Amino acid sequence: MENYIDEGVSMLIAYAPKILGAIVTLIIGFWIARVLANSVRKQLEKRNADPSLIPFLTSMVLILIKVLVLLSAAALFGLEVTSFVAIFGALAFAVGMALQGNLSHMAAGILILFFKPFKVGDFIVTQGYSGTVKEIQIFTTILTTLDNRVIIIPNGTITSGPLENLTANPVRKVPMTFGIGYPDDIDKAREVIKKVADKCPHIDHDKPVDILISELGDSSVNFAVRPWCKTEDFWSVHFYMQENIKKAFDDEGIGIPFPQRDIHIYNHNKEADA
């Protein structure tokens, strides 16, 4: 028993400095990692870097420094760093094979950040979902919908299908359709629509407003109205025109038809037919 105790004390004396050194290395190293990551983030923000890149690069710096700290702590125990790196590489390869889908999403995230089909703050439509880009992460992109729902979409899914960026351009047209009855005066209706558009404060009045007959429908003559506006004013123009066109048509006696169907009922007298 005394031999075991002596051996244990000897090992404790021999390894205590290494254990203490490893613990101190981990504490100080992780603290330095956080400080450097925060410094990188502040420098990127100061240089007005793309908001999409800031969280991505910050997380990469933090992970890289933590890995180096772990390798340093392992070296204090006498472990061969090259062997440790080889083991770590083999584990990384095995995990990578098991997570091929996630790696494809990571690669897609890098492509998104590099080619910039959209950025944080853009309003996009992809894979049947639409919303404002809140954050571009390594594996996923987070959207916030108009009704404040959060949608998380894998990056690989976004890059593998069509993508519509509605805020890529500073200005855009607002497509709208307004119908009038066949007996109503087309020229009068066009003038009413133009007056309403001229009063809308959000429309770009330096550019012409398209007011064209787009269709002779089953029960209405349809106008295609396309005013220009700033991208952020799209919905303001849409709602303004919808409400005020209805009011103006009512004031001018112009009808807005709705689908109607004539039903004819025939009463056959079976005895008479006989």
Side-chain angles (χ1 to χ4, degrees), residues 239-254:
F239 294 132
Y240 179 96
M241 293 292 289
Q242 296 294 326
E243 178 178 347
N244 288 277
I245 288 292
K246 174 63 170 64
K247 292 179 180 179
F249 279 0
D250 290 344
D251 293 339
E252 296 295 333
I254 298 175

Side-chain angles (χ1 to χ4, degrees), residues 7-25 73 76-77:
E7 186 177 352
V9 171
S10 299
M11 292 180 62
L12 181 61
I13 294 174
Y15 285 99
K18 295 181 179 180
I19 295 174
L20 181 61
I23 294 174
V24 172
T25 300
L76 291 176
F77 283 100

Side-chain angles (χ1 to χ4, degrees), residues 83-100:
S83 300
F84 186 79
V85 171
I87 295 172
F88 180 79
L91 290 174
F93 178 78
V95 173
M97 292 298 293
L99 300 175
Q100 289 183 1

Side-chain angles (χ1 to χ4, degrees), residues 56-72:
F56 184 85
L57 294 178
T58 301
S59 62
M60 291 296 290
V61 170
L62 183 63
I63 292 172
L64 178 61
I65 297 176
K66 285 186 175 182
V67 170
L68 293 177
V69 171
L70 289 173
L71 292 176
S72 300

Side-chain angles (χ1 to χ4, degrees), residues 29-83:
F30 285 178
W31 176 78
I32 293 175
R34 290 195 300 270
V35 171
L36 291 178
N38 289 332
S39 177
V40 170
R41 177 178 57 79
K42 291 179 181 178
Q43 288 297 322
L44 291 173
E45 292 175 348
K46 186 181 296 184
R47 296 175 182 273
N48 296 322
D50 190 339
S52 306
L53 287 173
I54 293 176
F56 184 85
L57 294 178
T58 301
S59 62
M60 291 296 290
V61 170
L62 183 63
I63 292 172
L64 178 61
I65 297 176
K66 285 186 175 182
V67 170
L68 293 177
V69 171
L70 289 173
L71 292 176
S72 300
L76 291 176
F77 283 100
L79 297 176
E80 290 292 336
V81 176
T82 54
S83 300

